Amino acid sequence: MHKLLKIIFITLALGLLNSVAAAAEPPTGKKAGGAAGSGGKPGGPMPVEVAKVEPGTVTLDISAVGSLRANESVVIRSEIAGRVDAIHFSEGQLVAQGADLLSLDASEFRAQLAESASSVKLNQLNYQRAKDLVGKKLLSQQSYDEAQAKLTQSRANQSLQEARLAKTQLKAPFAGVLGLRQVSPGDYVQPGQDIVNLEDISTLKLDFRVPETYLADIKAGQQVNLQVDAYPNRRFSGKVYAIDPRVDEKTRTLLLRGLIPNPDGLLRPGMFARVSLVLAQRDNALLIPEQALVPKGNTQSVYRIVDGKAVQTNVKIGQRRAGKVEILEGLATHDSVVIGGQMKLQDGMPIQPLVQPETKTQAAAGQ
């Protein structure tokens, strides 16, 4: 019995040793320390896309909305009553300063002017006789003074009639474009009645408001850019020339007025405009693609390339413009940053650039 138990124990021990030895041998067709067909080394450089820090120009601006006004605008009205004798313009016509626009019937005023002219002539003769007689002591001083006064009065009346006659001719007070007329030949117009509007649109005024918090930053001469719905792909520029000294108490905003050149006549008074007021401009600002940023709490960081490794660097950002972001602190002009694949990176990890900085620069230049 004891011999049987001893044989069984020895058999089990030999089987266990054979199993351990078999598990320790490497699998057939494989070598220790490597994987067949792996094609690479574990822990190699991480492939990433990189881009260079580029210098550029950044502007600090304010967005607002505004309205366009004519540089000069007036409604032509008659100062006197009368019948429209002739209209000398076409609607929508461009006219020069002083051009004749409309004539009223002037026959009555011409007759009155002729009457006053004859009175002046008569009183001139009477005054000359009185002057001769008073010199010879044949006329009293009172009669001489009366003759002189009548001459002065008749001349004043002649000037009045000349002014009334001149008001029968309506002229353009400045060069501009005429609107739609409100009268026809033969109409009888009253003093102050609208006849036609005249607009100077060679230059337009732009009125817009900005918050009072920017009061210290705004000044006359600053550039202002605008866009209108009629021409969505075109930008118009001008300059601020006047600032209202009063802050609106209800909105706490300040009214600014700019001048916008309009040589093509594309812009019209009354149009709505989206305005961008340029407060400052920074040349040689440092710009990187926006996708290079890695948010980290309340801060932003990038992976900067240093000796073939990705070094996580905190940065301070400024303005964002069309896929680019300005870097105020943390980078220099000669630096390169990771713009693709950085989510798998860790600080100090080796990297393999897929797009070299010079290639990206050439692509941006269109080469």
Side-chain angles (χ1 to χ4, degrees):
M1 186 68 180
H2 291 288
K3 286 184 178 180
L4 180 60
L5 292 175
K6 187 176 180 179
I7 292 171
I8 294 172
F9 177 77
I10 292 173
T11 303
L12 291 174
L14 290 174
L16 181 60
L17 290 175
N18 290 334
S19 298
V20 172
E25 291 182 358
T28 304
K30 295 183 180 180
K31 296 183 179 179
S38 62
K41 297 181 179 180
M46 174 70 69
V48 294
E49 295 183 17
V50 301
K52 261 190 174 182
V53 177
E54 300 176 353
T57 300
V58 173
T59 57
L60 177 62
D61 55 14
I62 308 173
S63 296
V65 295
S67 297
L68 292 172
R69 300 178 181 272
N71 185 39
E72 301 292 349
S73 177
V74 69
V75 177
I76 304 298
R77 298 182 174 95
S78 175
E79 296 184 51
I80 59 175
R83 181 178 57 82
V84 177
D85 188 50
I87 296 176
H88 307 292
F89 67 89
S90 300
E91 295 169 298
Q93 178 183 352
L94 179 65
V95 296
Q97 183 178 6
D100 290 331
L101 301 180
L102 182 140
S103 298
L104 298 178
D105 182 14
S107 56
E108 181 179 351
F109 296 101
R110 291 193 186 98
Q112 293 174 350
L113 179 59
E115 180 183 4
S116 63
S118 63
S119 296
V120 170
K121 186 175 181 180
L122 176 60
N123 289 326
Q124 177 71 39
L125 294 174
N126 290 336
Y127 170 73
Q128 192 62 45
R129 293 191 191 99
K131 185 177 181 181
D132 294 339
L133 292 174
V134 78
K136 299 176 181 179
K137 305 298 183 180
L138 298 176
L139 187 69
S140 66
Q141 184 65 36
Q142 181 180 356
S143 298
Y144 170 76
D145 292 341
E146 289 176 357
Q148 186 179 29
K150 286 183 179 180
L151 176 59
T152 303
Q153 183 179 9
S154 61
R155 285 175 174 172
N157 185 57
Q158 183 182 22
S159 298
L160 176 61
Q161 299 305 324
E162 288 175 348
R164 287 177 176 173
L165 179 61
K167 290 180 180 180
T168 62
Q169 297 291 327
L170 277 65
K171 299 179 180 294
F174 51 82
V177 179
L178 292 166
L180 307 180
R181 59 183 170 91
Q182 306 298 320
V183 297
S184 299
D187 278 346
Y188 188 85
V189 298
Q190 297 292 340
Q193 181 177 339
D194 293 353
I195 295 176
V196 66
N197 61 303
L198 176 64
E199 312 285 339
D200 176 11
I201 61 173
S202 59
T203 300
L204 292 182
K205 294 175 180 176
L206 171 67
D207 288 353
F208 63 100
R209 291 185 175 274
V210 299
E212 63 176 339
T213 53
Y214 293 101
L215 179 59
D217 300 319
I218 59 176
K219 58 184 178 181
Q222 288 176 325
Q223 181 178 342
V224 60
N225 303 315
L226 66 95
Q227 288 183 304
V228 295
D229 292 336
Y231 309 100
N233 298 323
R234 182 163 181 175
R235 187 177 71 169
F236 303 87
S237 299
K239 291 187 179 297
V240 173
Y241 84 95
I243 302 172
D244 195 328
R246 182 186 180 93
V247 175
D248 188 276
E249 296 179 357
K250 295 181 180 179
T251 61
R252 303 301 178 187
T253 57
L254 196 63
L255 179 62
L256 279 68
R257 177 168 288 178
L259 285 179
I260 311 298
N262 188 34
D264 300 330
L266 299 178
L267 300 176
R268 297 299 175 93
M271 294 181 77
F272 171 83
R274 288 178 291 276
V275 183
S276 175
L277 174 64
V278 179
L279 298 180
Q281 180 172 296
R282 290 192 288 269
D283 298 323
N284 296 321
L286 301 182
L287 301 175
I288 62 172
E290 199 169 15
Q291 61 266 33
L293 295 177
V294 179
K296 186 180 179 183
N298 295 328
T299 63
Q300 296 279 359
S301 64
V302 298
Y303 280 102
R304 184 165 54 98
I305 310 304
V306 180
D307 297 331
K309 297 182 179 180
V311 178
Q312 192 167 18
T313 305
N314 290 334
V315 294
K316 181 179 179 180
I317 65 174
Q319 299 295 308
R320 296 174 184 259
R321 290 291 183 275
K324 297 283 187 178
V325 61
E326 178 190 15
I327 302 299
L328 300 177
E329 297 178 3
L331 294 177
T333 54
H334 60 273
D335 288 335
S336 296
V337 295
V338 177
I339 62 170
Q342 64 267 46
M343 302 308 295
K344 298 180 181 180
L345 290 178
Q346 295 181 1
D347 190 21
M349 180 179 291
I351 58 99
Q352 177 62 46
L354 293 180
V355 179
Q356 298 295 334
E358 58 269 20
T359 303
K360 202 164 186 67
T361 303
Q362 291 174 359
Q367 296 183 355

